[in-house]
Amino acid sequence: MEALSINAQTQASSLPSGLQISEEVEKRYNVVRSVGEQCIHDDELKDLLAKKAAPVCYDGFEPSGRMHIAQGLMKILNVNKLTSAGCRVKIWIADWFAYMNNKLGGDLKKIRIVGDYYKEIFQAAGMNTENVEFLWSSDEINARGEEYWPLVMDIACKNSLAQIKRCMPIMGLSETEELSAAHILYVCMQCADTFFLEADICQLGVDQQTVNLLARDYCDNTKRGNKPVILSHHMLPGLQQGQKKMSKSDPSSAIFMEDEEAEVNVKIKKAYCPPDIVEGNPCLEYVKYIILPWFSEFTVERDEKYGGNRTFKSFEDIVADYESGKLHPKDLKDALTKALNKILQPVRDHFKTNSRAKNLLKQVKGYKVTRVIPTASSTEKESLSVNTSSAASSLAAGLQMSEEAEMKYQTVRSIGEECIQEDELKNLLAKKPAPICYDGFEPSGRMHIAQGVMKVTNVNKLTSAGCQVKIWIADWFAQLNNKLGGDLERIRVVGEYFKEIWQAGGMNNDKVAFLWASDEINGKGNKYWPLVMDIARRNNLRRILRCGQIMGRSETEVLSAAQILYPCMQCADIFLLEADICQLGMDQRKVNMLAREYCADIKRKNKPIILSHHMLPGLQQGQEKMSKSDPSSAIFMEDEEADVNEKINKAYCPPRTVEGNPCLEYIKYIVLPRFNEFNVENEKNGGNKTFKSFEDIAADYESGELHPEDLKKALMKALNITLQPVRDHFKTNERAKNLLEQVKAFRVTR
């Protein structure tokens, strides 16, 4: 993060724009600057006020219970100073943030009521709202989601997980605590708020400084001008010794804005206030940061024998008398109590006479202040019964499976190497004639046969069994995973190229919908993003990290914050698309399990069935899957016949060995499903032979009757027959030809 030059006021740097500060601007500067215990940077603040008559100041709060004086009186003082200096103040009512931070148990209705109660207090206590906007985060973000969420994702992409974790103090957490995925999302969103609100000044507590600095760093990373000035106000301590700030969960530490006079008296009487000691004395801090700014003086009333009445105009004079023993703790406390009760009386009156305010307070007082993190267990909770099909459980609804439903089941089930769970799949197909199947891909370079031929085969099986297939073109996900350098225009080009291939390769599109993730999410953001947030807050960080495999990453890698957001979003996709079946590769299994766990958490019926297809290996020994970044490991869908032949000739294919033999896997998962047979032509070595099952091929290969050379020749021929329509399309169709030229020119990066 940037080196902090706090409170540095040099004449040479005060106005880098070369403007002269007028007397009026100097006065405005002094008023605004008095709000902050720290300023980053003073010269920028002066420059801003010299150039802009009405700068935008961002302040905010999480509605999370009763309001104490640190939130109430200090905010009113600060806002009134800022508006008097010409600032426009946007107060961000961070309801979605309170939800992610599990305040009030994550109950958004309660959070909303608390937000309205806060507004009542601010107005009753004297906030000048003429140049103040109260903005609900959920309303504003929903209204301009297309602008907001790409910004959040870009911030997540540009910051490592470690950088984001260093911002945990903004939520009252440390980076070593058990965190939820929502805590990572929270930081990225709060950073985005600064830009979303077009803030010139971030006026928040010192505890929020790390995320404000993150916003300034983001400006550097993106070459964005006009960094926000950070004006961090003091944090009032709690009433008892060693309490760094007031806490709602400990009423003895805080004075609340509607506390009765007697309650204030008792709390101040019990407050920590050691004689002659200023440092760490909360009573003196309240005088300094509340009473003196509010009244411009502090009056102590006492008998003549104890020094008589005295009115202080400066904190320095109070400190001098207190340290010398001239000002006794009891007299200080009595004067503080009287001043606080005078300030709070209009609030009490309002909450007694205004029926709406009275009702809000009654509700808020009834809420228990909580921050229980509803995270899922760090181990996968659901006991997996994979590929089990008992007659007793296969039709839980008591339905009988018709011959037609049984045939549909066999077709659908043949797609998956693993099914979770078969009884649920049978039940679904018996009850629902057109279940929704979710499939998807990251557009990230040229398409290999594992993505091309296998998807065409699987989709055609699903549609033949009556399924509706929704293919999710995960452009935003490719961007989060930094594919093609995160360039969304290139990612969109690759997505169009993929569609051309599938159509040319024989995909039956009658019951298939191609859906761009960015378009669908923008269109249904009001539904989607609360779902992402709920998934994020219910899962701890360790659980989400174990989903790194879905992005081709391990949990030990150095990850960006985007790699935490990605699994939460992919999990939400399943519900946004109303999917009955998740038909993805085995490498996506963990996030699909996350979706089933989420259903269990929220007591949702109809968990998505997981149908995980086999992952085709690369061409060389030990390559677990084809890789676009290593062309020797993959056969691409528009490879010329000579390229295919060369690659298969060089492929790993040890004699008599079936296990780990990629050539045999391509026959099993591509050729046989495509042609329902495998033809080997060789007059010398046993003559031509047509195989109808993989078991027969494996038996002949292990025995030596089927030689690797003959196997490879037959495989080449079958693959080239399969790929020829795609080649023809990309040679004769101008749009397809242009797309391919662009895709080939893109460098595969991450």
Side-chain angles (χ1 to χ4, degrees):
M1 290 187 176
E2 68 176 48
L4 307 189
S5 173
I6 299 173
N7 304 339
Q9 301 180 51
T10 62
Q11 189 62 39
S13 65
S14 63
L15 286 178
S17 63
L19 296 174
Q20 293 298 309
I21 286 186
S22 66
E23 188 177 341
E24 180 196 358
V25 171
E26 188 68 41
K27 284 181 180 178
R28 289 173 62 209
Y29 166 77
N30 289 330
V31 171
V32 173
R33 183 62 186 83
S34 70
V35 168
E37 185 171 70
Q38 293 181 350
C39 178
I40 306 170
H41 293 284
D42 276 314
D43 56 349
E44 293 177 16
L45 178 59
K46 285 185 178 181
D47 197 44
L48 171 68
L49 294 170
K51 291 191 295 184
K52 197 166 184 179
V56 174
C57 184
Y58 153 51
D59 198 346
F61 62 90
E62 275 188 10
S64 57
R66 293 174 68 193
M67 182 188 287
H68 51 60
I69 58 172
Q71 290 177 303
L73 300 182
M74 281 194 71
K75 195 177 294 292
I76 290 167
L77 283 165
N78 291 341
V79 167
N80 287 354
K81 284 181 180 180
L82 291 165
T83 55
S84 74
C87 295
R88 292 169 52 209
V89 179
K90 295 182 178 181
I91 297 180
W92 196 235
I93 310 177
D95 52 343
W96 267 357
F97 294 79
Y99 172 68
M100 286 189 289
N101 209 8
N102 294 301
K103 296 295 179 68
L104 300 172
D107 187 325
L108 273 168
K109 288 183 180 178
K110 289 181 178 180
I111 290 166
R112 195 89 180 187
I113 286 167
V114 173
D116 283 328
Y117 148 85
Y118 273 37
K119 288 167 66 179
E120 290 286 335
I121 287 181
F122 290 136
Q123 290 166 14
M127 182 180 283
N128 178 2
T129 57
E130 191 176 339
N131 287 313
V132 175
E133 291 179 86
F134 288 97
L135 304 171
W136 290 93
S137 67
S138 56
D139 294 346
E140 296 299 311
I141 293 168
N142 277 336
R144 293 161 55 203
E146 291 182 25
E147 177 185 343
Y148 184 79
W149 291 110
L151 181 59
V152 172
M153 289 188 287
D154 194 46
I155 289 165
C157 287
K158 287 182 168 58
N159 285 280
S160 70
L161 180 57
Q163 286 173 304
I164 298 299
K165 286 172 75 173
R166 286 200 290 273
C167 295
M168 289 304 115
I170 70 171
M171 291 168 276
L173 300 168
S174 76
E175 56 187 286
T176 58
E177 286 186 57
E178 177 77 273
L179 302 175
S180 76
H183 292 133
I184 306 303
L185 177 57
Y186 185 120
V187 175
C188 298
M189 287 174 64
Q190 186 169 329
C191 183
D193 294 343
T194 304
F195 307 107
F196 186 63
L197 295 172
E198 299 178 330
D200 301 300
I201 301 169
C202 295
Q203 197 290 113
L204 297 162
V206 173
D207 60 339
Q208 305 296 303
Q209 194 176 87
T210 51
V211 76
N212 293 334
L213 284 169
L214 197 73
R216 287 178 64 91
D217 288 342
Y218 180 72
C219 291
D220 289 334
N221 290 338
T222 57
K223 306 294 187 289
R224 186 179 185 131
N226 302 323
K227 294 182 186 180
V229 174
I230 304 174
L231 203 59
S232 303
H233 65 71
H234 182 73
M235 302 295 295
L236 273 191
L239 290 161
Q240 304 307 316
Q241 185 176 8
Q243 292 177 332
K244 291 184 178 179
K245 63 180 183 177
M246 291 188 178
S247 169
K248 296 173 188 179
S249 57
D250 179 6
S252 69
S253 77
I255 294 169
F256 295 103
M257 290 292 292
E258 3 68 22
D259 270 349
E260 293 295 339
E261 184 174 343
E263 291 176 298
V264 174
N265 296 347
V266 169
K267 288 180 179 181
I268 295 296
K269 186 177 180 180
K270 292 181 178 180
Y272 178 66
C273 190
D276 309 332
I277 296 175
V278 174
E279 189 71 27
N281 187 324
C283 293
L284 283 167
E285 290 224 15
Y286 303 163
V287 173
K288 179 179 180 180
Y289 290 101
I290 293 178
I291 308 304
L292 280 172
W294 198 278
F295 295 108
S296 301
E297 62 183 25
F298 178 58
T299 300
V300 177
E301 298 175 349
R302 57 194 171 183
D303 288 344
E304 288 297 330
K305 63 181 178 180
Y306 297 123
N309 297 347
R310 182 168 180 194
T311 297
F312 296 92
K313 297 291 185 179
S314 75
F315 186 66
E316 290 74 17
D317 290 344
I318 298 170
V319 167
D321 274 20
Y322 195 79
E323 286 182 320
S324 69
K326 290 180 183 179
L327 179 56
H328 191 273
K330 182 183 182 305
D331 297 327
L332 175 75
K333 284 186 172 186
D334 288 346
L336 173 59
T337 301
K338 185 175 181 178
L340 282 174
N341 278 318
K342 187 175 181 180
I343 295 170
L344 297 178
Q345 193 56 47
V347 180
R348 295 177 191 133
D349 293 342
H350 180 70
F351 278 90
K352 285 174 183 173
T353 58
N354 183 291
S355 57
R356 181 176 185 272
K358 189 188 295 184
N359 181 53
L360 286 169
L361 178 58
K362 184 180 178 181
Q363 292 181 77
V364 172
K365 281 187 171 180
Y367 299 155
K368 186 178 179 182
V369 178
T370 60
R371 195 176 70 193
V372 178
I373 300 176
T375 54
S377 166
S378 60
T379 57
E380 290 181 7
K381 296 186 296 184
E382 179 170 319
S383 175
L384 304 190
S385 174
V386 181
N387 301 343
T388 58
S389 57
S390 63
S393 64
S394 63
L395 291 176
L399 300 172
Q400 292 298 311
M401 208 168 195
S402 66
E403 186 178 343
E404 180 188 2
E406 182 66 39
M407 288 176 65
K408 285 169 65 177
Y409 166 75
Q410 295 298 336
T411 300
V412 173
R413 181 62 187 84
S414 69
I415 290 168
E417 184 170 68
E418 177 183 276
C419 177
I420 304 172
Q421 298 185 340
E422 287 186 344
D423 55 347
E424 294 176 16
L425 179 58
K426 286 185 176 182
N427 202 34
L428 172 70
L429 295 170
K431 290 192 297 181
K432 194 168 184 178
I436 294 171
C437 184
Y438 155 56
D439 198 346
F441 67 95
E442 271 189 12
S444 57
R446 293 175 68 193
M447 182 189 287
H448 51 59
I449 57 172
Q451 291 175 305
V453 180
M454 277 188 74
K455 195 177 292 291
V456 169
T457 300
N458 291 343
V459 166
N460 287 353
K461 283 184 178 181
L462 290 165
T463 55
S464 73
C467 295
Q468 300 177 61
V469 179
K470 294 182 178 180
I471 297 181
W472 195 237
I473 311 177
D475 52 343
W476 268 357
F477 294 78
Q479 189 178 41
L480 284 170
N481 208 9
N482 203 32
K483 296 293 180 70
L484 298 172
D487 187 324
L488 204 55
E489 287 187 17
R490 290 186 172 192
I491 290 166
R492 292 284 291 209
V493 168
V494 174
E496 293 294 342
Y497 149 85
F498 271 40
K499 287 165 64 179
E500 289 285 336
I501 286 182
W502 283 322
Q503 290 166 14
M507 184 179 284
N508 179 359
N509 291 330
D510 287 346
K511 296 178 181 177
V512 175
F514 289 99
L515 305 171
W516 288 94
S518 56
D519 294 344
E520 294 298 309
I521 293 169
N522 276 333
K524 300 173 184 174
N526 295 13
K527 176 182 178 182
Y528 182 79
W529 291 108
L531 186 57
V532 172
M533 287 186 278
D534 194 38
I535 290 164
R537 76 190 189 96
R538 289 174 186 274
N539 285 280
N540 63 41
L541 203 49
R542 287 180 292 115
R543 177 67 183 89
I544 298 299
L545 283 169
R546 287 206 305 278
C547 293
Q549 185 185 3
I550 69 173
M551 298 167 278
R553 299 176 184 273
S554 75
E555 50 190 291
T556 58
E557 283 186 58
V558 176
L559 300 177
S560 75
Q563 269 97 53
I564 302 303
L565 184 54
Y566 188 121
C568 299
M569 289 174 63
Q570 187 170 327
C571 184
D573 296 343
I574 294 165
F575 303 106
L576 183 72
L577 297 173
E578 300 177 334
D580 301 300
I581 301 168
C582 296
Q583 196 289 113
L584 297 161
M586 286 291 291
D587 60 341
Q588 305 298 301
R589 181 182 183 277
K590 287 185 177 178
V591 79
N592 293 334
M593 283 304 307
L594 196 71
R596 288 181 65 91
E597 290 170 15
Y598 179 68
C599 291
D601 277 349
I602 63 171
K603 308 294 188 290
R604 177 188 176 123
K605 294 181 180 178
N606 305 323
K607 296 178 183 179
I609 293 155
I610 303 173
L611 203 59
S612 303
H613 65 71
H614 182 74
M615 300 297 295
L616 273 190
L619 291 160
Q620 305 306 317
Q621 185 176 6
Q623 292 176 332
E624 292 185 359
K625 62 179 185 178
M626 290 189 179
S627 169
K628 296 174 187 179
S629 58
D630 179 6
S632 69
S633 76
I635 293 169
F636 296 103
M637 290 294 290
E638 1 68 23
D639 270 350
E640 293 294 339
E641 184 173 343
D643 295 325
V644 173
N645 295 346
E646 183 181 357
K647 287 179 179 181
I648 295 296
N649 270 324
K650 292 180 178 178
Y652 179 66
C653 189
R656 300 175 181 262
T657 303
V658 174
E659 190 71 27
N661 188 323
C663 293
L664 282 167
E665 290 221 17
Y666 302 162
I667 293 165
K668 181 179 181 180
Y669 292 101
I670 291 181
V671 179
L672 280 173
R674 184 85 172 185
F675 297 102
N676 297 314
E677 62 184 23
F678 180 60
N679 295 312
V680 177
E681 299 173 356
N682 196 312
E683 295 296 334
K684 296 180 181 178
N685 299 328
N688 297 347
K689 187 169 183 179
T690 298
F691 296 92
K692 296 290 186 180
S693 74
F694 184 72
E695 290 73 19
D696 290 344
I697 297 169
D700 274 21
Y701 195 78
E702 284 182 315
S703 71
E705 288 185 37
L706 179 54
H707 192 271
E709 185 181 345
D710 298 328
L711 178 84
K712 284 186 172 184
K713 284 180 181 177
L715 176 58
M716 288 176 208
K717 184 174 182 180
L719 287 176
N720 280 314
I721 290 170
T722 302
L723 299 179
Q724 193 56 47
V726 178
R727 295 176 190 134
D728 293 343
H729 180 71
F730 277 88
K731 286 174 182 174
T732 58
N733 183 288
E734 286 303 318
R735 180 175 186 273
K737 190 187 299 184
N738 180 52
L739 286 169
L740 179 57
E741 285 176 5
Q742 292 182 74
V743 172
K744 282 185 172 181
F746 297 158
R747 185 180 174 191
V748 177
T749 61
R750 196 173 66 188

